[in-house]
Amino acid sequence: MSTTTIARTNADKQKNLVRFIAVTGILSAAAFILQLIEFPVPMLMPTFIKFDFSDLPALLGAFAVGPLSGILIELIKNLIHSLVSGSFAVGELSNFLLGAVFTGTAGLIYKLNRNKKGALIASLAGALAMGIMSLPFNYFIVYPVYYNFMPQEVIVNAYQAIIPSMDSILKCLICFNVPFTICKGLINALICFVIYKPLSPILKGRH
């Protein structure tokens, strides 16, 4: 390999690193802002569980510059959110874990098949993986932390207000949280499909 080729390769690597950092940083800021715009979904989920679009910038980053970017965006937005709120609460922990599964899975699959079909499969797989993993994450990690602030009976009662037959946390998570999480991923993926192509030249540094 000639000196010129090596120099060009190193320059390309440096350029890609700069673009990776820039895209990840900008999308992290966008994700944090979107995370502040959260809202409950009455009649479908208890009020302490809210919907937001903050996974959208992370998914864009995962598609544009790789799965690591998506995971870092999820981490950075939640670290900033915890600083603003004054503590790293269970909400940020849950958001990061599930968002990392979603964007990491989708970004990795898309990296192996970078076309429209690959993006569709990646988005569906990411949303499904996030929904499935929400069950053990919530049951074994997130909700046990919730119990320190909100008794388990109170949480179950919040679900029973929607469907009275809910009589256990596990049943609540399966019937409510898993489908809600999958739908959240699919909605973010749908928006990503609409806006990714126009934004792709900018995200990839080709504008």
Side-chain angles (χ1 to χ4, degrees):
M1 185 179 293
S2 66
T3 304
T4 302
T5 302
I6 294 175
R8 186 180 297 114
T9 300
N10 290 335
D12 288 341
K13 288 181 179 180
Q14 186 174 10
K15 181 180 178 180
N16 289 336
L17 178 60
V18 171
R19 180 167 60 86
F20 177 90
I21 294 173
V23 169
T24 300
I26 292 171
L27 291 178
S28 295
F32 166 67
I33 293 172
L34 289 175
Q35 192 174 18
L36 297 176
I37 309 172
E38 58 181 7
F39 51 89
V41 187
M43 307 305 296
L44 294 179
M45 295 294 293
T47 55
F48 62 86
I49 298 176
K50 295 180 173 60
F51 185 95
D52 66 72
F53 295 98
S54 64
D55 289 330
L56 174 58
L59 186 59
L60 288 170
F63 281 173
V65 293
L68 179 59
S69 175
I71 294 173
L72 285 175
I73 291 168
E74 295 286 354
L75 176 62
I76 294 170
K77 76 170 185 183
N78 280 292
L79 287 176
I80 297 174
H81 192 274
S82 68
L83 291 174
V84 172
S85 63
S87 64
F88 191 81
V90 65
E92 285 87 5
L93 174 62
S94 175
N95 191 283
F96 167 67
L97 291 175
L98 296 179
V101 169
F102 176 43
T103 58
T105 301
L108 180 60
I109 294 175
Y110 181 69
K111 185 177 181 179
L112 300 175
N113 192 11
R114 302 182 70 87
N115 53 47
K116 193 171 184 179
K117 182 179 179 181
L120 177 60
I121 294 173
S123 298
L124 292 175
L128 184 61
M130 181 169 65
I132 292 173
M133 292 307 299
S134 72
L135 183 59
F137 281 170
N138 281 319
Y139 191 73
F140 293 110
I141 301 175
V142 177
Y143 274 56
V145 177
Y146 266 134
Y147 301 154
N148 294 320
F149 311 97
M150 187 185 302
Q152 184 171 337
E153 295 75 14
V154 174
I155 296 177
V156 173
N157 288 340
Y159 288 99
Q160 289 177 333
I162 304 173
I163 299 181
S165 61
M166 296 293 105
D167 56 9
S168 71
I169 288 295
L170 184 59
K171 186 183 292 186
C172 293
L173 293 175
I174 293 173
C175 294
F176 284 88
N177 293 56
V178 171
F180 172 80
T181 304
I182 293 174
C183 287
K184 179 181 178 182
L186 291 177
I187 291 171
N188 279 284
L190 177 61
I191 299 174
C192 181
F193 262 80
V194 173
I195 67 175
Y196 181 73
K197 188 173 182 178
L199 291 177
S200 181
I202 299 175
L203 294 173
K204 295 181 178 181
R206 298 173 185 167
H207 61 292

